[in-house]
Amino acid sequence: MSLTLTLTPARRRAAAAALTAALLVPLAACSSDDTKKDTAGSTASGSASAAPEANLTVLAAASLTDVFKTAGAAYEKSHPGTRLTFSFAGSQELVAQVSQGSPADVLVTADTKSMDKVKADTSAPTVIAKNRLVIATGEGNPHKVAALKDLADTKLKVVLAAPEVPAGKYSKKILDAQKIIVKPVSQEPNVRAVLSKVELGEADAGLVYKTDAESAKDKVDAVEIPDDQNAVASYPAATLKDSKNAEAATAFVAWLSSPEGQKILQDAGFQKP
């Protein structure tokens, strides 16, 4: 036996409306979810594109090699849109690069005189740190070097930075002040080359910055030089006027004087500016 269900026109219209509503609910939900996803994606994309991006080239004195690698990693972490590329050399070489128009954004030298030579090409510099000289000797100080006057011993192989290099100028200044005559076996283009000679045993002693000796303390010993016989090295930093990333370059130079930047410099043995 079969039953036939007959619906009135009114009931048929009500049933059709209910079916349509039931079908539209999931479609509406899908549409809402897709809209949210599109909006979220658009927002995320907008945030990424809004982040400032700059690739900065920093010309820096050789004695900043280790500390600036640490500082650069810290800066990039806190400024994800910025990438730093360092070029380390003697300050006199960096100045020559700037004078020749080499593309760069920031210059940091190991003395103010070098920076002054390119003042027409830079913003007003800011001293970010200071340093002092020490006598670097082989590990264990086998020749028992105890003071500057010991460097006059002709039996010692002493190496110095060249006179045109800031470290060489400081070395000459303190040796001349004490009337100590040293005949170096070589004069190197930057202070890191002096350190390398001592590390490799190619020299018995050399004058380097305190921070250089600290960076190689497992290979060399450092003999302190009294303050009244020493020289203070200043490190000025400045942006280059031809920088294509002036705002980002200015931010990096300012950061070097910030508490975070100063802590990194001082942890490496540099003194407060």
Side-chain angles (χ1 to χ4, degrees):
M1 182 177 66
S2 63
L3 293 175
T4 301
L5 181 62
T6 302
L7 296 176
T8 65
R11 287 183 175 178
R12 282 199 299 270
R13 286 194 297 272
L19 177 61
T20 300
L23 290 172
L24 286 177
V25 168
L27 289 175
C30 290
S31 176
S32 176
D33 288 344
D34 290 342
T35 300
K36 288 178 182 178
K37 288 177 183 176
D38 289 344
T39 303
S42 175
T43 302
S45 174
S47 297
S49 62
E53 293 185 2
N55 294 317
L56 298 180
T57 297
V58 180
L59 306 179
S63 52
L64 293 166
T65 299
D66 295 300
V67 70
F68 263 23
K69 288 178 180 178
T70 301
Y75 190 80
E76 288 181 353
K77 185 176 181 179
S78 58
H79 299 75
T82 300
R83 293 292 175 267
L84 299 171
T85 300
F86 295 101
S87 177
F88 299 105
S91 295
Q92 82 290 350
E93 185 177 334
L94 300 178
V95 166
Q97 290 178 28
V98 172
S99 299
Q100 292 164 8
S102 297
D105 303 286
V106 175
L107 173 65
V108 189
T109 61
D111 68 335
T112 55
K113 288 184 178 179
S114 293
M115 184 68 77
D116 288 343
K117 291 179 180 178
V118 287
K119 61 183 178 181
D121 301 300
T122 69
S123 64
T126 300
V127 174
I128 60 165
K130 292 189 175 183
N131 215 338
R132 278 176 164 73
L133 294 177
V134 297
I135 303 169
T137 72
E139 187 178 9
N141 192 4
H143 296 280
K144 307 304 178 187
V145 176
L148 279 175
K149 61 183 178 59
D150 295 336
L151 299 181
D153 186 346
T154 55
K155 295 178 182 178
L156 277 182
K157 290 187 293 183
V158 178
V159 63
L160 300 174
E164 63 270 19
V165 183
K169 294 176 185 176
Y170 295 131
S171 297
K172 185 178 186 304
K173 178 180 178 180
I174 66 175
L175 290 171
D176 287 351
Q178 300 300 313
K179 296 181 172 54
I180 298 170
I181 298 175
V182 175
K183 295 182 179 180
V185 294
S186 69
Q187 293 181 312
E188 301 300 320
N190 60 68
V191 72
R192 278 306 173 102
V194 175
L195 181 68
S196 179
K197 290 277 188 179
V198 178
E199 284 182 296
L200 295 172
E202 297 175 11
D204 300 320
L207 288 173
V208 301
Y209 295 118
K210 183 176 182 178
T211 52
D212 293 310
E214 179 66 20
S215 71
K217 60 185 178 182
D218 58 335
K219 297 178 181 178
V220 303
D221 281 11
V223 178
E224 296 284 344
I225 300 171
D227 285 348
D228 61 354
Q229 297 178 19
N230 215 328
V232 178
S234 295
Y235 290 75
T239 58
L240 296 178
K241 290 181 180 178
D242 287 341
S243 169
K244 300 186 186 311
N245 304 290
E247 186 176 350
T250 299
F252 176 66
V253 170
W255 179 86
L256 291 172
S257 295
S258 72
E260 184 181 4
Q262 285 295 297
K263 184 178 187 306
I264 292 171
L265 285 162
Q266 289 161 34
D267 284 350
F270 288 87
Q271 297 176 339
K272 292 181 181 181

